[in-house]
Amino acid sequence: MTLTVVNPATEETIAELEPAGIDEVDEAVARARDAFAAWRAVGVSDRARLLRRLASLVEEHADELARIESENVGKPIAGARAEVAMVGNVFHFYAGAVDKHHGETIPVDGGVDLTFREPLGVCGLIVPWNFPLNIASWKLGPALACGNTVVLKPAELTPLSALRLAELVLEAGIPEGVVNVVAGPGRVVGQRLVEHPDVAKIAFTGSTEVGASVMRGAAETVKRVTLELGGKSANVVFADADLERAAAAAPYAVFDNAGQDCCARSRILVERSAWDRFVELLVDSTSRVRVGDPADEATEMGPLISAQHRETVASYANGNVVFRGNAPDGPGFWFPCTLVEATNADRVAREEVFGPVAALIPFGDEAEAIRLANDTPYGLSGSIWTRDGARALRVARGIDSGVLSVNSNSSVRVATPFGGFKQSGFGRELGMHALESYSEVKNVFVSTEA
Ligand code: TXE
């Protein structure tokens, strides 16, 4: 059986690969295990230098990597380039972090107590298809900085950028066996990684359903697990906000990456007194989202990842549709930007659509806004639009979500922690926080008694 890789904007086959199976996973884990002792012993300056070299190689190959990502995911090229720039910055950040994540000395009776940060061993990194290279780098950077070796499993639909990155890893001088890529089906390759007794940790990004099964599978061998799962984030717009600015930004908070974004603010909560004006502005700004050829520099939204996924997305785009935009006919898995007026109880407001469909929901006051924002099993992201600073902080503290932004859509920055509350998962990626979950604290007591 071959793994056929398709460009979702054209439906053309862009690669055919021999998929990895259980044997390949076992071989990759064995290589990673063999490489671990030498890699953890590499001095901090050398390890930082190797990560810096990898960052520079990503930058040198930015155009090529962005093109691979754009063709394989259907991402607009301008966005793909920004993502690859972030990948370079992630490796630069973790190169700098290698010697800044350290232990402490603790005063105790009869001696001194030292803590050390030790690597875990072999880490299994399982990543999805929506931001393949970006999300891989968020896991690779801290894993390598802490001295772990890894087996990276890209999603079966989008393996190409990870395979190219693995070549750049070797070109950077990172020893063979430290980074291993296995491209194959999740239920075989992913599951084997989860169950493998020589894998110490699984870092997973994907659906909540598979995340739960990863957790169950990892329990058998007491693996460390971090999970970054689905979301149903709220974009809360108060009547006192700069409505023009909020409405201009809102489409990109849900339609970026064609809505295939765990941080998508796919519930737009609008204060009732501003409803008419805001909806009018939002329809106008949404109608101007440029949907089309991902290779075109001006394109803002490409197709969905697959025909099957388009079917799923379409099942949410009904009811009280306020706006439906244009999309190319095909070939390609196109779907138009769609705004649906809903209540928070409707399916479109409860489930992660993972496509360009947003639910518009009215609220009466601040307390109701917080209640609605929290009325979801998820808790990943969200935005608050208001000119009242105290209210912004009150609402931010009230929403049970890992990442919030005020008068902005942004969710991810290299130096700041990213991750979820509730069924959006646990553990934090990016920033110095990520290093916590790729290392173990060791405590050594030294007696100073004569
Ligand atoms: O995700 P899966 P899918 C959500 C989103 C989307 C839905 C389905 O709502 O529509 O999930 O997407 C690997 N053991 N998100 O089916 O299956 C798989 O090969 C171990 C949200 O693509 O969770 C891939 O590498 N691994 C999300 C990765 O898990 C397994 C991103 C994710 O695939 C496995 C993606 C198994 N049993 C989807 N089964 C986000 N948070 O951004 C599959 N995999």
Side-chain angles (χ1 to χ4, degrees), residues 125-131 135 153-157 184-194 202 204-211 213-214 228-231 260-263 305 309 312-313 351-355 378 380 424:
L125 316 180
I126 302 178
V127 301
W129 45 260
N130 54 342
F131 297 98
I135 293 176
K153 195 208 96 56
E156 39 276 64
L157 295 171
R187 260 173 294 115
V188 180
V189 166
Q191 199 160 321
R192 178 63 182 158
L193 265 181
V194 169
I202 295 288
F204 174 85
T205 301
S207 60
T208 295
E209 190 188 359
V210 175
S213 94
V214 164
E228 201 268 277
L229 310 174
Q260 301 165 129
D261 182 348
C262 48
C263 292
I305 192 72
H309 188 51
T312 310
V313 171
E351 298 176 10
E352 183 175 49
V353 177
F354 228 54
Y378 296 111
L380 188 53
S424 288

Side-chain angles (χ1 to χ4, degrees), residues 208 230-232 350 352 376-380 400 421-424:
T208 295
K232 194 71 209 174
R350 302 225 59 85
E352 183 175 49
T376 169
Y378 296 111
L380 188 53
D400 299 329
F421 280 30
K422 303 195 283 185
Q423 289 187 32
S424 288

